Amino acid sequence: MTGRILLGLAAAVLLAFLVAPGWFAPVFQPFTRNNAPAIYVQTPIWSLTLSHLALVAVAVAASTVVALVLAILVTRPAGREFLPLARTITSVGQTFPPVAVLALAVPIMGFGAGPTLVALFLYGLLPVFENTLAGLTAQPAQVSEAARGMGLTPRQRLWQVDLPLALPVILGGMRLTAVISLGTATIGSTVAARTLGEVIIAGLLSSNTAFVLQGGLVVGIIAVLIHEGFQALERRARARIGQA
């Protein structure tokens, strides 16, 4: 109960800050120096927040679809031999720094959201892939036998049994991908993508700690809200399949 109250308060404070950031100027003023502005006004923070969230949503959706397809393919009898290849592909994003992806993508795609989407997409593949793989391969043997006994085809077992049972674990992978992508997206502002990283970078360049705090706190609060939202979905999914 206390956790929900705190989450509600955090969400309310975040909304108030995005709607009327000027109200919070006295809070951030102690973190400025030389009469620097306490609130970032170069671009509306609410606009940057929406752009940031849209970028993350597109990247997470793309990562989830590709990772799900790969995991399903390598858990089918005809695709099991491709599991090592699929693991290598999905691991690339985690082993290749997002900054390096941006550096390679900018000459090809130009500045803007494109290179950031590529970096976030690659970075988000592994959690969803591994969680989906774990969920699909950890099915109780008796459940699979019961599905076969009912005469379900492999496709019917996948959609009616395997994926519903694996859904809580899949949602856990999506949660990790979303939270990681939310924080990583801030570097997109280094290649002219509209993200909350613009506020943080402006603060670093001007030695204005207030700007850095604003960008960081908005990202942090949203990350907590997304994390808790996915956990609520996981609990609901577990309840639907009879898991504690």
Side-chain angles (χ1 to χ4, degrees):
M1 186 64 180
T2 303
R4 291 183 179 180
I5 294 174
L6 291 176
L7 283 175
L9 287 175
V13 171
L14 174 63
L15 182 61
F17 177 73
L18 295 178
V19 172
W23 294 350
F24 295 81
V27 176
F28 291 102
Q29 191 63 53
F31 299 98
T32 65
R33 57 184 181 180
N34 299 326
N35 295 320
I39 301 295
Y40 185 78
V41 294
Q42 188 72 23
T43 306
I45 295 181
W46 66 264
S47 177
L48 291 175
T49 301
L50 292 179
S51 178
H52 189 112
L53 289 175
L55 200 64
V56 170
V58 171
V60 171
S63 297
T64 299
V65 170
V66 173
L68 276 173
V69 171
L70 284 175
I72 291 172
L73 287 176
V74 299
T75 53
R76 303 306 96 184
R80 283 173 184 160
E81 60 183 300
F82 297 104
L83 176 57
L85 176 62
R87 274 212 163 103
T88 300
I89 292 173
T90 56
S91 298
V92 168
Q94 295 285 334
T95 57
F96 210 56
V99 175
V101 176
L102 293 179
L104 293 173
V106 166
I108 300 172
M109 306 178 69
F111 288 91
T116 307
L117 280 172
V118 172
L120 295 181
F121 167 76
L122 292 175
Y123 211 59
L125 285 173
L126 188 62
V128 179
F129 175 77
E130 289 294 343
N131 276 41
T132 304
L133 196 63
L136 292 176
T137 56
Q139 304 290 352
Q142 58 269 30
V143 172
S144 299
E145 291 173 4
R148 292 191 189 95
M150 293 172 61
L152 297 181
T153 65
R155 180 175 296 182
Q156 288 174 326
R157 289 203 304 270
L158 173 66
W159 291 104
Q160 297 178 27
V161 179
D162 294 343
L163 285 176
L165 289 177
L167 184 58
V169 184
I170 295 172
L171 288 172
M174 292 177 64
R175 169 168 51 85
L176 291 174
T177 291
V179 172
I180 290 171
S181 296
L182 190 72
T184 307
T186 55
I187 67 172
S189 292
T190 60
V191 293
R194 285 172 51 84
T195 74
L196 288 163
E198 177 180 322
V199 184
I200 297 173
I201 292 172
L204 293 174
L205 293 176
S206 62
S207 298
N208 191 336
T209 306
F211 291 173
V212 177
L213 286 174
Q214 286 160 45
L217 286 174
V218 171
V219 171
I221 292 174
I222 294 175
V224 171
L225 294 176
I226 289 176
H227 182 275
E228 292 300 320
F230 269 106
Q231 283 201 325
L233 291 176
E234 291 171 47
R235 288 192 293 269
R236 182 172 299 182
R238 287 194 179 94
R240 289 185 63 180
I241 62 175
Q243 292 182 359

